[in-house]
Amino acid sequence: YYTFGLFVLGGLDLGLPRGGPPAARAMLWAAYFLAPGITTSAVLVAGDNLWVTSSNGVDYGHVETPAPNAPSLLLLDKKTGELLGEEASGCSSRIFHSNWSSPAYLRKDDTELCIFGGPDGWLYAFKPDPIEGPDGWPILDEAWRFDCNLPEYRVDENGEPRKYTDRDGPSEVLSTPIVYNGRVYAPIGQDPEHGPGVGNLVCVDHTGKQLWNYSKINRSLSTLAVANDLVFAADFSGFVYCLDANTGEEYWVHDTKGHIWASPFVADGKVYIGNEDGFLTILPASKDAKPKKEGQEDRPARPAGKVVEVDMVSPVYASVIAANGVLYVGTHTHLYAVAKPEGGSDAGDAGGR
């Protein structure tokens, strides 16, 4: 299942033997919807349902939203492409810029919810079964919503609304929310063209109640990585953070000294993250921090253990991935596959091929 431009392609089955071009033979169905620009979110498959974002947003002049009543999230039948329901929470009328966040799915006990990072800076939870709307049209049943922005990001000290693009202004949820142990984690951020600014990372339970937040993070485009009760977060300003997933306690902060577009990736006890300056940083996926020196008590702790920086020459905008013991790193110009040589040292220690 894949979204591009104005279409959702459904059920690419390369085993269909019928005639015609390969793409036509493979495509089971296509759903059409009008998006203001390219659709940049991943399709979420849950049971027989597809959760699909429309990437609704502002016009090219960034002045107004041409379709403020259009849905930002759709529910489709994965077998037929039939529209089962659409979001009617009104978030499209509150869009800051666009919706780039991909939906996530939460299962806890008897609760199932689609988690949606809204283009208005709110986190939404929708039940999997649509309900009938006021006009008889099927709409998504909203379970709860939570504002990921601090109140002071939305209004200033005089009670006046802050401008969206101001450094201290509100932001949308850009990255994909993470579900871990029945909790939802999400940072806020903006288009990189707007530059750095204040951020916030929230943790809420399956009912939408905040458990903790971390406001030392700056604006973030990056999806979080959670492993062994540790949250690894990155922001556009170039910092990587290690937090306690249960309490939000800060363990350490590392400065990569370059803007970060990618998301952190955890594998083999390490955190991998690339930056705009072309460096791939490899950090220990541990909460252990170096002791602070005298006079540096107010500074964030730094990670203990070995930190490796690999100069990839070209910007690393994409997230690192791994499969079958191979680490894949995409730069602006090349794709690299890195693995341990047989009987050799760890690739993370620059002994790979």
Side-chain angles (χ1 to χ4, degrees):
Y1 303 94
Y2 186 74
T3 59
F4 69 102
L6 308 178
F7 296 90
V8 181
L9 289 185
L12 291 181
D13 187 346
L14 300 182
L16 287 179
R18 296 174 177 81
R25 294 202 310 268
M27 190 169 65
L28 300 182
W29 55 262
Y32 171 87
F33 57 91
L34 182 61
I38 187 169
T39 307
T40 55
S41 306
V43 175
L44 171 68
V45 183
D48 288 333
N49 294 335
L50 300 180
W51 299 85
V52 184
T53 64
S54 67
S55 288
N56 195 10
V58 297
D59 58 20
Y60 288 107
H62 294 187
V63 177
E64 60 182 20
T65 304
N69 298 317
S72 290
L73 182 68
L74 307 169
L75 181 65
L76 306 180
D77 184 292
K78 77 173 186 181
K79 297 178 181 178
T80 65
E82 176 189 358
L83 178 66
L84 302 177
E86 60 182 38
E87 166 269 318
S89 62
C91 69
S92 288
S93 65
R94 300 184 292 272
I95 284 176
F96 288 135
H97 193 173
S98 186
N99 165 230
W100 292 289
S101 179
S102 300
Y105 207 75
L106 181 151
R107 291 186 177 96
K108 181 176 174 60
D109 301 327
D110 295 331
T111 300
E112 289 196 27
L113 297 169
C114 175
I115 306 300
F116 175 60
D120 55 355
W122 288 71
L123 201 60
Y124 293 85
F126 296 101
K127 299 177 182 179
D129 297 318
I131 58 176
E132 185 176 306
D135 57 357
W137 193 260
I139 62 174
L140 303 182
D141 188 3
E142 183 180 324
W144 51 261
R145 68 176 72 175
F146 180 83
D147 190 358
C148 298
N149 287 270
L150 297 178
E152 57 267 31
Y153 294 178
R154 294 193 179 270
V155 295
D156 62 21
E157 58 275 8
N158 298 316
E160 296 294 326
R162 291 191 188 274
K163 188 178 178 181
Y164 161 60
T165 53
D166 285 351
R167 184 180 180 86
D168 296 329
S171 295
E172 62 265 61
V173 180
L174 272 181
S175 62
T176 302
I178 288 293
V179 176
Y180 177 77
N181 286 345
R183 299 170 178 171
V184 181
Y185 302 80
I188 57 173
Q190 294 189 21
D191 184 333
E193 294 290 337
H194 300 165
V198 295
N200 193 37
L201 191 164
V202 302
C203 172
V204 301
D205 67 13
H206 67 288
T207 68
K209 176 184 177 182
Q210 178 175 295
L211 300 177
W212 55 264
N213 79 290
Y214 180 78
S215 59
K216 294 180 182 179
I217 191 171
N218 301 292
R219 289 176 182 165
S220 175
L221 319 176
S222 309
T223 296
L224 308 169
V226 184
N228 300 320
D229 285 343
L230 297 176
V231 175
F232 298 98
D235 62 27
F236 181 64
S237 297
F239 294 95
V240 181
Y241 306 81
C242 176
L243 311 175
D244 188 294
N246 298 310
T247 66
E249 178 186 354
E250 175 190 294
Y251 290 126
W252 52 257
V253 179
H254 177 79
D255 185 4
T256 70
K257 296 181 171 59
H259 291 312
I260 293 177
W261 297 55
S263 299
F265 179 77
V266 177
D268 196 26
K270 303 177 183 66
V271 182
Y272 298 84
I273 186 74
N275 70 12
E276 191 178 57
D277 287 352
F279 285 92
L280 174 66
T281 301
I282 306 171
L283 301 149
S286 166
K287 67 179 182 180
D288 296 337
K290 292 181 179 179
K292 295 183 180 180
K293 297 180 181 179
E294 184 177 353
Q296 297 182 348
E297 291 80 8
D298 294 335
R299 297 184 182 180
R302 294 184 296 167
K306 187 174 183 178
V307 177
V308 177
E309 289 186 341
V310 182
D311 187 357
M312 305 301 294
V313 182
S314 182
V316 182
Y317 292 119
S319 304
V320 171
I321 63 168
N324 302 321
V326 179
L327 190 74
Y328 297 91
V329 184
T331 73
H332 200 51
T333 58
H334 290 74
L335 174 63
Y336 296 90
V338 183
K340 286 184 181 180
E342 293 184 10
S345 59
D346 195 318
D349 292 331
R353 51 180 169 82

